[in-house]
């Protein structure tokens, strides 16, 4: 009798749980409970969106609500969310590249209605009409996305201009103003891709390691890997900023390359308009003196703020791209490829002796190039590489503020096509 009672109880609980969110996988139930509490008076709109979503679109709606930023939980309407889902799933059914996507990629990089902190526009219907014509006769995703990239400036009539109203300008506002800077242009491009089922996300950095600014661009998921592309298109994984991105400091979050994520990752997206947040988690005393005051002001602006855009650290991929481009570029007759490693001591055969430092190359007190030397955890075949002139004298300045390191080495290059340069720090 007790066993029968236990069985009936379990069955009742299971039925009750399922009836709470009909058609929604149990993995979302607790998340939805929490989201609806945070939504407050707007919970009814979210419940309506979930209830009215077609059966094959319910997971998408549950995903959006479960991981939705609180600012959206309290403001977005059911009509907004249902329209967004309708057009995202329309692309899923219509375009073969979208139909073939893993659910995780579709949910996180096609379905979301926004990228970062921009206004929440109802851009999907308009963008579907605008951009589906560029891809409907394409057999593969690469041809489709390149055709959009070549046509988007004319289609939306938006050009780069620093007079735009805000950095994180939304698509429809950018089109109204006919201007945007890199963040706004990248939002336009990413949303154009999402409208036709091409997975896309923003990527960027809070600050380049040369302290000359920051940048934001788009990434697309092609054949199982992420590649970058810009509003003013070159081609996949090629642009002016590769050298800057490739010199990112993997040990300093201020200089990391971040990719945005709708689903929480545990790591905020510390880039572009979200850059002030990173000032709360980096050691500003390690910054060059001439830029420190700027970041102290940034930190003051971030006081009391909590980041709500999530991201991935994709720094190493951009370092690898840059190093590959250096290796593949032709050397002039008077050039060589220098393979540089910094060591803490003379045990140069051990990875434990490798030390990540900034290395500035100078000639006659003029800067030639810079980068960050390999870490202990890097492969022993990984080097910091520079193109230098043969038979030329240089000064290599090695610095690491956290370890109070600053040392200069005189190096004269030889006549071979490659040269290994080991910089061993003095005690």
């Amino acid at each position: 009798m007790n066993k029968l009672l236990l069985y009936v109880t379990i069955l009742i609980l299971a039925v009750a749980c399922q009836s709470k969110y009909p058609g929604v996988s149990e993995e979302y139930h607790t998340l939805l409970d929490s989201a609806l509490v945070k939504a407050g008076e707007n919970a009814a709109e979210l419940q309506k969106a979930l209830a009215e979503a077609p059966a094959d679109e319910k997971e998408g709606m549950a995903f959006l609500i479960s991981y939705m930023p609180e600012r959206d939980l309290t403001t977005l309407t059911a009509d907004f969310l249902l329209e967004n889902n309708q057009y995202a799933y329309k692309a899923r059914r219509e375009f073969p590249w979208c139909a073939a996507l893993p659910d995780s990629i579709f949910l996180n990089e096609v379905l979301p209605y926004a990228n970062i902190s921009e206004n929440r526009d109802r851009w999907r219907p308009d963008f579907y009409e605008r951009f589906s014509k560029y891809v409907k006769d394409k057999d593969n995703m690469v041809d489709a996305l390149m055709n959009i990239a070549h046509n988007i400036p004319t289609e939306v009539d938006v050009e780069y201009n620093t007079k735009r109203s805000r950095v994180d300008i939304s698509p429809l506002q950018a089109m109204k103003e006919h201007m945007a800077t890199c963040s706004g242009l990248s939002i336009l491009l990413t949303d154009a891709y999402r409208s036709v089922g091409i997975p896309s996300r923003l990527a960027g950095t809070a600050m380049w390691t040369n302290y000359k600014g920051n940048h934001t661009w788009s990434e697309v998921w092609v054949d199982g890997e992420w590649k970058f592309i810009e509003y003013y298109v070159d081609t996949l994984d090629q642009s002016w900023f590769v050298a800057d991105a490739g010199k990112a400091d993997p040990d300093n979050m201020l200089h990391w390359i971040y990719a945005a994520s709708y689903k929480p990752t545990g790591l905020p997206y510390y880039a572009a308009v979200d850059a002030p947040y990173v000032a709360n988690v980096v050691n500003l005393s390690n910054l060059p003196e001439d830029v420190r005051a700027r970041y102290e002001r940034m930190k003051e602006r971030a006081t009391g703020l909590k980041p709500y855009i999530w991201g991935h650290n994709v720094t190493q991929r951009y370092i690898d791209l840059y190093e590959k481009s250096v290796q593949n570029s032709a050397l002039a007759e008077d050039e060589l490829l220098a393979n540089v490693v910094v060591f803490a001591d003379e045990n140069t055969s051990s990875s434990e002796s490798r030390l990540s430092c900034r290395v500035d190359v100078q000639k006659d007190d003029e800067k030639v190039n810079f980068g960050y030397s390999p870490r202990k955890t890097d492969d022993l075949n990984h080097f910091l590489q520079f193109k230098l002139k043969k038979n030329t004298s240089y000064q290599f300045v090695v610095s690491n503020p956290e370890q109070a390191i600053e040392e200069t080495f005189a190096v004269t290059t030889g006549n071979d096509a490659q040269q290994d340069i080991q910089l061993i720090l003095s005690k």
Side-chain angles (χ1 to χ4, degrees):
M1 192 68 176
N2 287 338
K3 287 184 179 180
L4 179 60
L5 180 61
L6 178 61
Y7 174 79
V8 171
T9 302
I10 292 173
L11 184 61
I12 291 172
L13 289 173
V15 171
C17 192
Q18 281 299 317
S19 62
K20 188 176 185 181
Y21 302 113
V24 176
S25 171
E26 191 173 344
E27 66 179 289
Y28 293 106
H29 289 193
T30 301
L31 293 168
L32 288 170
D33 287 343
S34 176
L36 292 173
V37 170
K38 293 176 184 176
E41 294 180 358
N42 198 51
E45 289 291 321
L46 304 183
Q47 289 172 317
K48 179 183 177 184
L50 197 58
E52 294 186 6
D56 61 345
E57 298 178 13
K58 280 196 186 295
E59 182 180 12
M61 190 65 74
F63 178 89
L64 289 180
I65 296 172
S66 293
Y67 301 118
M68 189 176 287
E70 193 164 337
R71 62 169 278 193
D72 297 337
L73 288 171
T74 59
T75 57
L76 295 185
T77 66
D79 287 347
F80 177 97
L81 293 169
L82 288 165
E83 180 182 77
N84 177 81
N85 265 33
Q86 176 191 349
Y87 276 86
Y89 278 92
K90 179 180 175 68
R92 180 84 150 153
R93 290 186 288 268
E94 184 171 340
F95 301 111
W97 49 80
C98 191
L101 291 176
D103 289 344
S104 59
I105 295 294
F106 171 77
L107 293 171
N108 204 47
E109 277 85 29
V110 174
L111 181 66
Y113 50 82
N115 295 275
I116 47 172
S117 50
E118 73 269 27
N119 287 342
R120 284 18 184 168
D121 290 343
R122 298 177 77 158
W123 52 268
R124 277 209 189 258
D126 178 53
F127 273 33
Y128 174 83
E129 295 301 325
R130 286 178 181 275
F131 296 107
S132 60
K133 62 178 177 282
Y134 295 111
V135 305
K136 61 184 179 182
D137 61 343
K138 302 302 177 186
D139 295 327
N140 62 79
M141 187 191 293
V142 174
D143 287 346
L145 69 88
M146 291 304 296
N147 204 33
I148 287 176
H150 286 302
N151 286 283
I152 190 172
T154 302
E155 181 64 45
V156 299
D157 192 19
V158 177
E159 298 291 349
Y160 182 91
N161 194 319
T162 57
K163 293 181 180 179
R164 78 285 184 261
S165 60
R166 53 189 284 184
V167 173
D168 54 340
I169 193 168
S170 66
L172 301 189
Q173 186 62 29
M175 292 164 67
K176 181 179 178 180
E177 296 181 18
H178 304 292
M179 64 181 81
T181 44
C182 60
S183 294
L185 295 177
S186 301
I187 289 170
L188 276 167
L189 184 59
T190 285
D191 287 348
Y193 285 146
R194 289 179 175 181
S195 73
V196 294
I198 296 172
S200 187
R201 65 189 185 185
L202 296 196
T205 184
M207 181 57 62
W208 299 125
T209 45
N210 58 17
Y211 293 96
K212 290 184 178 179
N214 59 10
H215 190 48
T216 301
W217 56 92
S218 296
E219 291 191 332
V220 287
W221 197 80
V222 178
D223 295 332
E225 59 182 355
W226 288 102
K227 297 179 180 292
F228 76 79
I229 191 167
E230 292 222 88
Y231 183 86
Y232 295 110
V233 66
D234 187 344
T235 188
L236 291 173
D237 278 351
Q238 290 186 27
S239 187
W240 62 268
F241 68 81
V242 171
D244 289 330
K247 294 171 186 173
D249 183 355
D251 295 318
N252 188 334
M253 295 175 72
L254 178 65
H255 303 306
W256 283 2
I257 310 297
Y258 298 88
S261 173
Y262 183 86
K263 185 177 180 179
T265 62
L267 175 69
Y269 177 76
Y270 290 128
V273 294
D274 307 291
Y277 300 130
V278 77
N280 287 328
V281 294
V282 299
N283 186 348
L284 299 182
S285 65
N286 292 333
L287 301 183
E289 190 172 348
D290 58 336
V291 302
R292 201 174 301 153
R294 187 197 323 172
Y295 290 92
E296 292 289 356
R297 292 193 296 272
M298 181 188 293
K299 185 171 184 176
E300 289 174 5
R301 296 201 304 273
T303 301
L305 298 177
K306 182 180 178 181
Y308 65 90
I309 309 301
W310 301 101
H312 302 277
N313 175 10
V314 294
T315 307
Q316 191 59 50
R317 181 158 57 83
Y318 284 87
I319 293 174
D320 292 343
L321 277 172
Y322 171 65
E323 291 179 348
K324 186 177 179 181
S325 72
V326 171
Q327 293 166 0
N328 291 342
S329 59
L331 293 168
E333 273 191 33
D334 64 342
E335 289 182 329
L336 60 75
L337 194 62
N339 301 316
V340 181
V341 183
V342 176
F343 291 96
D345 53 50
E346 294 186 1
N347 188 12
T348 59
S349 62
S350 171
S351 62
E352 285 298 310
S353 294
R354 287 187 167 203
L355 190 61
S356 178
C357 296
R358 177 178 169 126
V359 180
D360 288 88
V361 183
Q362 301 175 357
K363 183 179 181 297
D364 300 328
D365 294 326
E366 291 188 6
K367 290 184 178 180
V368 174
N369 211 332
F370 76 94
Y372 291 83
S373 59
R375 297 167 290 177
K376 295 177 181 179
T377 54
D378 288 328
D379 190 280
L380 284 174
N381 294 312
H382 182 85
F383 304 101
L384 170 59
Q385 295 186 310
F386 298 114
K387 274 187 179 181
L388 301 176
K389 296 292 185 182
K390 294 179 178 178
N391 304 309
T392 302
S393 295
Y394 294 95
Q395 298 82 46
F396 283 60
V397 181
V398 177
S399 59
N400 184 320
E402 288 188 358
Q403 300 194 33
I405 294 170
E406 183 159 347
E407 191 168 342
T408 301
F409 297 81
V411 176
T412 300
T413 56
N415 198 45
D416 295 332
Q418 289 202 36
Q419 181 172 337
D420 293 338
I421 298 176
Q422 297 180 340
L423 305 175
I424 303 173
L425 297 172
S426 60
K427 294 293 184 180

